[in-house]
Amino acid sequence: MLIHPMPDPIAFHIGPLAVHWYGLMYLLAFAQFIAIGRIRIKQPHIAAVGWKKEDLDDMLFYGVLGVVIGGRLGEVLFYNFSYYMAHLADIIAVWKGGMSFHGGFLGVLIAMYFWGRKRGLHLMDIMDFIAPMVPLGYAAGRLGNFINAELPGRVADPSLPWAMIWPNLDNLPRHPSPIYQMLVDGILLFIILWFFARKQRPRMAVAAMFSLLYGCARFFTEYFRIPDYNVSFGGMTISAGQMLSVPMIVLGIVLLIVAYRRQDSSTPATK
């Protein structure tokens, strides 16, 4: 049976400054955004819109603010409100971990709206452009969670080859849920979305597909993770993460329908 290696959350020191693995994962996420963005800009249907390399740097600045502020506020409001109200100083302690993807998603939406107003671009064109660059950044964040020994999984069958004991929790075999979410919600979602976005799609179709796929993937992987808390939904009990994923699934379906209906209505009839 595997045992969580429990690495030191501090990667290294620069003088008195401690550099945490969690922060390095965010740095990796932002770096891959630039790298993949430069590849995406060269795709013919993207280049035709007039995206420039300079847009990536400017967009990233707004995106970082949206991810960090939205992700942290989402963690506070959606998951641990009572704790943070009793420990206000910990709200800004992002180096300790604790970021909500759903909060970060909303934060990026708001940030991209303001950036789009400055650049003169439609919000959905921006979201269609950046959607394929998000999953690998998410995967890096989940790797940071694993290094920090956060988000342990539910108890697993001891015969499961990759069942893992988390020494900071107990001696029970558990699913390594951050790794599941890194692989499914992050890497697998990136592969599917990247191939979908390689071709010209109707406005908001790529962003809608991201919302739908991420919501479905997260709803699935949450079954293997110890829930932050449970809620009753439609006669069944689901975790907080699943509850927050349901609106993303619904939003994705609705936007896909609207996107393709608009495309059909704008296509001239053949005579």
Side-chain angles (χ1 to χ4, degrees), residues 40 51 59 105-106 108-113 122-134 193 204 206-208 210:
R40 186 148 167 75
W51 287 93
M59 193 189 319
F105 178 76
L106 293 175
V108 168
L109 274 177
I110 296 171
M112 291 303 100
Y113 169 76
H122 192 285
L123 173 62
M124 294 315 302
D125 289 336
I126 300 172
M127 299 308 292
D128 281 342
F129 174 71
I130 69 174
M133 287 112 78
V134 173
L193 198 61
M204 69 188 173
V206 177
F210 168 80

Side-chain angles (χ1 to χ4, degrees), residues 30 59-71 107-108 111:
F30 299 139
M59 193 189 319
L60 181 61
F61 173 75
Y62 280 77
V64 168
L65 293 178
V67 167
V68 175
I69 297 175
V108 168

Side-chain angles (χ1 to χ4, degrees), residues 85-101:
M85 289 303 96
H87 304 83
L88 294 177
D90 281 355
I91 293 178
I92 62 173
V94 295
W95 56 88
K96 295 182 179 179
M99 298 284 280
S100 161
F101 175 83

Side-chain angles (χ1 to χ4, degrees), residues 24-47:
L24 289 178
M25 292 302 103
Y26 269 79
L27 182 62
L28 177 62
F30 299 139
Q32 69 82 35
F33 179 91
I34 294 294
I36 296 178
R38 290 182 175 176
I39 297 173
R40 186 148 167 75
I41 280 177
K42 296 177 182 179
Q43 294 174 334
H45 62 289
I46 298 296

Side-chain angles (χ1 to χ4, degrees), residues 78-80 154 219 222-244:
F78 300 153
Y79 291 101
N80 292 297
R154 299 175 192 258
F219 196 93
E222 279 284 326
Y223 278 112
F224 303 98
R225 171 178 158 182
I226 296 178
D228 296 273
Y229 57 89
N230 289 317
V231 294
S232 296
F233 183 84
M236 62 179 180
T237 300
I238 61 176
S239 71
Q242 289 173 316
M243 175 191 68
L244 293 170

Side-chain angles (χ1 to χ4, degrees), residues 167-245:
N168 64 330
L169 186 61
D170 51 36
N171 290 317
L172 297 175
R174 296 184 176 276
H175 291 281
S177 57
I179 301 299
Y180 292 179
Q181 294 189 309
M182 179 186 74
L183 295 175
V184 178
D185 307 0
I187 295 174
L188 179 60
L189 178 54
F190 166 75
I191 293 171
I192 297 173
L193 198 61
W194 183 259
F195 281 99
F196 179 77
R198 288 178 66 184
K199 296 182 179 180
Q200 180 69 47
R201 304 291 179 182
R203 173 182 281 174
M204 69 188 173
V206 177
M209 185 62 75
F210 168 80
S211 182
L212 172 60
L213 292 178
Y214 175 81
C216 291
R218 179 69 182 268
F219 196 93
F220 168 70
T221 55
E222 279 284 326
Y223 278 112
F224 303 98
R225 171 178 158 182
I226 296 178
D228 296 273
Y229 57 89
N230 289 317
V231 294
S232 296
F233 183 84
M236 62 179 180
T237 300
I238 61 176
S239 71
Q242 289 173 316
M243 175 191 68
L244 293 170
S245 296

